[in-house]
Amino acid sequence: MRFAVLGAGAVGARVVRQLVMSPGVDGVVVADRDRARAGLVARSVGEPVRTGGCDDGDDPWWEGADVAVLASPGGDHGQVAERLVADGCSVVSVSDDLGDVEALLALDARARAGGRTVVAGAGFAPGLSCLLAGHVAATFDRVDEVHVAKTGTGGPACARGHRQAWRGEAHDWRDGQWVRRKAGSGRELCWFPDPVGPEDCYRAAAPDALVLVPAFPGVGRVTSRVGASRRDRVTAHLPLLLRPRGEGRLGAIRVEVRGQRSGLHDTAVVGALDRPAAAGGAVAALSAVALAEGRLRRTGAGGVAELVDQRPTFLAELSRRGVKAAGFVGAAGPS
Amino acid sequence: MTFLRRAVLALGVTGLVTAVLRLRGSGGVPPQTGGWQELSGPDFR
């Protein structure tokens, strides 16, 4: 199997490392606008990683790859994926940008027609959050509601994206239709796995619901919230004065699934705690390997909750690679 | 004198904004029982 990775930042470097750890990987090309950074990643990992150019001339970076992983800063993943699909390459995107995920999902018909697959939102959240939601939902007879909350950022590009998410509109799924609400509204105190613990979370222009709704036909409500401090919310509309740190703090996700089990209304809460770039890189790499091995449910575009066939095996492999998930046992409490 | 008035005004506005933000509080009730438990082998079947 051969892979091409666009982006050698915090997430891209992890994707490359995780791909190399997977059996059956013959080659990985890493490309970045900053060639020196791509070279650094290639040298630090060694064989079979080599660098590729970002220009799309005679030797495009995805040439010969079974799957291309987009781990570059969000904003243009839809356009890049469109070119890749047209060129006969399947795509895995880690972007958590709402516009990117909308554009990627819109490639569904084109990807199906070409027998290719586009995996949208294969990072920390969406990504790991979708896998956990799907895993827990399988224990319900009927899923009524899915609520996702996340906190933390990957690299600097991810931190910038999060600031933009406070300026847009949140997309919530309610009673069979999309409801748009102002980002920054809907404060809810969410309890993440320790040591992150409680954090105020708000609606944001996050794409989680877009990839979760198709995975749970008939679901009544799907919402997503993002953790923020008061300073984050106050300064969201101001220019970024300081460059974000190279790698964000510890992040966490919390997924709450409500529905019917054995005729009774029940709630299950699962979560995960990790550096978002590390966990997101592992999810993207395993998704790319599953895609190259033909282990996804179908061709076309979708999120990991919908496309990954054997979620328990996938989560067990993530756990083996250090991405640990946790379940809340006992009384789930208010949120 | 003008400088002093402006400084006092700036401090007052800062204090007011801080008070409003703090008063909003976090709210919510922590889970009374239970806790997080790592998912392992049997949970992935």
Side-chain angles (χ1 to χ4, degrees):
Chain A
M1 294 180 287
R2 300 181 69 80
F3 298 91
V5 180
L6 180 64
V11 179
R14 260 54 175 264
V15 172
V16 171
R17 210 170 280 277
Q18 293 284 345
L19 282 172
V20 171
M21 283 169 61
S22 307
V25 175
D26 305 314
V28 179
V29 171
V30 56
D32 196 289
R33 284 194 198 105
D34 184 346
R35 271 180 169 270
R37 190 159 58 178
L40 195 67
V41 171
R43 279 195 302 279
S44 70
V45 180
E47 282 293 323
V49 182
R50 66 178 180 84
T51 55
C54 253
D55 47 347
D56 308 335
D58 295 333
D59 183 22
W61 56 272
W62 65 87
E63 185 75 36
D66 297 302
V67 178
V69 181
L70 305 182
S72 54
D76 64 350
H77 283 210
Q79 294 98 300
V80 177
E82 191 175 352
R83 296 184 60 189
L84 292 167
V85 169
D87 208 29
C89 190
S90 286
V91 179
V92 172
S93 163
V94 305
S95 178
D96 62 355
D97 180 271
L98 185 66
D100 274 348
V101 172
E102 279 179 322
L104 290 164
L105 294 178
L107 293 172
D108 186 50
R110 217 171 300 178
R112 281 180 198 246
R116 297 289 174 264
T117 305
V118 176
V119 185
F124 188 54
L128 181 56
S129 57
C130 301
L131 287 167
L132 290 173
H135 179 61
V136 172
T139 65
F140 282 78
D141 301 323
R142 192 186 80 206
V143 176
D144 296 328
E145 300 179 25
V146 180
H147 303 284
V148 177
K150 63 178 171 183
T151 182
T153 56
C158 184
R160 289 191 189 95
H162 269 228
R163 284 175 66 82
Q164 283 182 351
W166 298 116
R167 299 172 202 162
E169 280 185 321
H171 287 47
D172 284 353
W173 179 257
R174 196 177 179 105
D175 301 329
Q177 59 182 337
W178 290 106
V179 179
R180 296 186 179 210
R181 294 200 164 116
K182 190 173 177 292
S185 63
R187 180 169 55 116
E188 188 175 317
L189 186 68
C190 294
W191 292 77
F192 294 99
D194 298 320
V196 172
E199 196 165 316
D200 275 335
C201 295
Y202 305 83
R203 292 190 189 99
D208 302 64
L210 293 182
V211 285
L212 282 169
V213 170
F216 305 109
V219 68
R221 285 183 67 193
V222 181
T223 65
S224 67
R225 280 177 167 72
V226 180
S229 64
R230 295 185 186 105
R231 190 187 65 185
D232 292 336
R233 293 180 62 227
V234 169
T235 60
H237 296 274
L238 302 174
L240 197 60
L241 298 176
L242 298 173
R243 192 177 185 278
R245 283 181 289 181
E247 170 113 28
R249 294 173 294 127
L250 202 61
I253 49 180
R254 180 185 185 282
V255 180
E256 183 173 329
V257 177
R258 299 177 191 166
Q260 298 284 326
R261 267 202 281 223
S262 308
L264 297 171
H265 189 76
D266 203 358
T267 301
V269 178
V270 285
L273 182 84
D274 210 321
R275 288 187 180 277
V283 171
L286 287 185
S287 301
V289 171
L291 174 49
E293 290 176 344
R295 287 190 282 115
L296 296 189
R297 279 201 177 117
R298 61 169 176 84
T299 57
V304 288
E306 190 186 1
L307 296 178
V308 171
D309 198 18
Q310 294 164 325
R311 285 186 290 257
T313 314
F314 200 103
L315 286 166
E317 178 60 19
L318 279 173
S319 175
R320 199 183 65 76
R321 294 182 182 216
V323 180
K324 306 287 185 188
F328 193 88
V329 288
S335 60
Chain B
M1 194 62 190
T2 308
F3 172 76
L4 196 64
R5 269 208 305 271
R6 283 179 181 166
V8 170
L9 182 68
L11 284 173
V13 169
T14 307
L16 195 66
V17 169
T18 309
V20 167
L21 292 176
R22 285 191 73 83
L23 278 175
R24 283 199 66 196
S26 292
V29 182
Q32 302 298 308
T33 57
W36 290 97
Q37 199 171 69
E38 190 180 315
L39 299 181
S40 55
D43 301 307
F44 296 131
R45 283 177 198 150

